[in-house]
Amino acid sequence: MSTPRFLTLPPGVSSEQIETPLGSFAALEALPSSGVPERWPALLVPGFTGSKEDFIAVLQTLAQAGRRVIAVDMRGQYETPGPDDPAAYTCAALGADIDAIAAAVGQGEPVHLLGHSFGGLVAREAALNGGARLASLTLMSSGPGGIVGPRERMGRVLLAELPEYGLDYMWSNRLEPEALAAGVPDDIVAFLRKRLLSNHPTGLVAMAKEVLGAPDRCEELAGCGLDLLVLYGEHDDGWPPLLQAEMARRLDAECVVVPGALHSPAVEAPETTAAALTRFWNAAESRLLQHQHG
């Protein structure tokens, strides 16, 4: 689970609701501290059991480059409510939500889309179904298909235990001991508990199935015509770094390895991550504008 290091919103960052034809989504919005956004906006999608707060550490820096940046809770996550229907939480259904959010955020302009971990699988769907105008796609600590390794085992534990024992049990017996062992401060532990218990249980089970069983869609994605970036921590304990490097090669994508980071580069190395994203987004914008005017 991605663990923010602080929760105080930086200057220029505020809590918002993004209204779409598919519903309302809780978001954090970052704006440049001076002047108006001159560049195309960016939309950040969190991972499984994550939330918009996983991006708090990069929002202000990203916005200072001259763009509006939005991080959202997906349907059923933390402060965005979700229905009891498991079909609402497939990658395809969540991808359609992201398309609708991107259209609302872009207001006719292309949007830079980033998906973290499971959010990468969802963002990929949004890119493939082509419902929104995208300027680029970044897969951060994500993979070509279902997750493997230690996090796969945790996903299978959750799938087995959550329907039977509930979210309180998962917190007390799995996630709280982990957080305390890692020395997470009390206020962050309290937030992690509140966030987990706010997730829709049906949504968590359905998303766990999706993240474990996602098909490899690199071939389709390689032909989508978007500028692609694969970014991950050098010590990622989700999809193995070598697998992500291979995915970048298959996608003909730019590849950035964040030194010292694990599965959440936006938390563990925010400045390095924000700098890499800004450089990639600016270059993608320049190419697109040249293409339009060429």
Side-chain angles (χ1 to χ4, degrees):
M1 127 180 100
S2 196
T3 304
R5 293 195 173 151
F6 62 91
L7 297 167
T8 306
L9 297 184
V13 180
S14 59
S15 295
E16 303 291 340
Q17 290 287 325
I18 306 291
E19 304 296 336
T20 80
L22 298 181
S24 181
F25 294 82
L28 292 176
E29 176 186 55
L31 293 166
S33 56
S34 60
V36 295
E38 292 170 354
R39 293 187 170 275
W40 292 336
L43 174 59
L44 315 179
V45 183
F48 178 60
T49 72
S51 66
K52 58 195 178 303
E53 285 74 18
D54 297 337
F55 299 109
I56 279 181
V58 294
L59 288 174
Q60 183 183 22
T61 311
L62 291 173
Q64 292 304 62
R67 58 171 53 86
R68 179 183 180 219
V69 184
I70 302 281
V72 292
D73 291 341
M74 285 191 283
R75 189 179 299 281
Q77 282 186 325
Y78 191 31
E79 293 178 325
T80 299
D84 296 332
D85 180 5
Y89 305 103
T90 62
C91 285
L94 295 170
D97 287 346
I98 296 304
D99 269 337
I101 298 167
V105 167
Q107 296 170 339
E109 283 189 317
V111 172
H112 297 285
L113 180 59
L114 176 149
H116 173 231
S117 192
F118 173 62
L121 301 178
V122 173
R124 174 177 84 172
E125 292 285 332
L128 287 171
N129 68 29
R133 285 188 72 196
L134 297 182
S136 69
L137 173 64
T138 298
L139 303 174
M140 183 167 82
S141 307
S142 195
I147 198 161
V148 292
R151 287 173 185 266
E152 177 191 8
R153 291 194 288 280
M154 187 60 212
R156 297 204 182 281
V157 166
L158 185 144
L159 261 188
E161 294 183 354
L162 179 57
E164 194 167 345
Y165 301 117
L167 282 171
D168 274 308
Y169 173 90
M170 293 300 298
W171 171 253
S172 302
N173 291 274
R174 298 282 176 195
L175 301 173
E176 184 180 35
E178 265 180 38
L180 294 176
V184 175
D186 290 352
D187 62 324
I188 306 291
V189 172
F191 162 76
L192 294 176
R193 178 180 184 276
K194 182 182 172 193
R195 176 170 76 176
L196 181 76
L197 299 183
S198 300
N199 276 277
H200 197 297
T202 303
L204 273 185
V205 170
M207 288 182 196
K209 289 177 180 169
E210 292 286 296
V211 77
L212 290 166
D216 186 320
R217 301 194 70 183
C218 283
E219 208 166 302
E220 296 158 85
L221 196 56
C224 75
L226 285 174
D227 275 34
L228 302 173
L229 169 64
V230 170
L231 182 147
Y232 55 91
E234 71 170 318
H235 305 300
D236 197 332
D237 59 350
W239 286 268
L242 283 175
L243 185 65
Q244 295 187 61
E246 170 67 7
M247 176 175 74
R249 189 190 64 72
R250 291 172 62 199
L251 293 172
D252 195 21
E254 193 173 327
C255 187
V256 171
V257 183
V258 180
L262 294 140
H263 190 57
S264 299
V267 172
E268 294 140 2
E271 293 304 317
T272 308
T273 300
L277 289 172
T278 295
R279 186 182 53 74
F280 169 68
W281 289 342
N282 289 352
E285 256 169 67
S286 296
R287 276 192 291 272
L288 264 176
L289 288 168
Q290 276 173 357
H291 183 68
Q292 284 172 6
H293 298 142

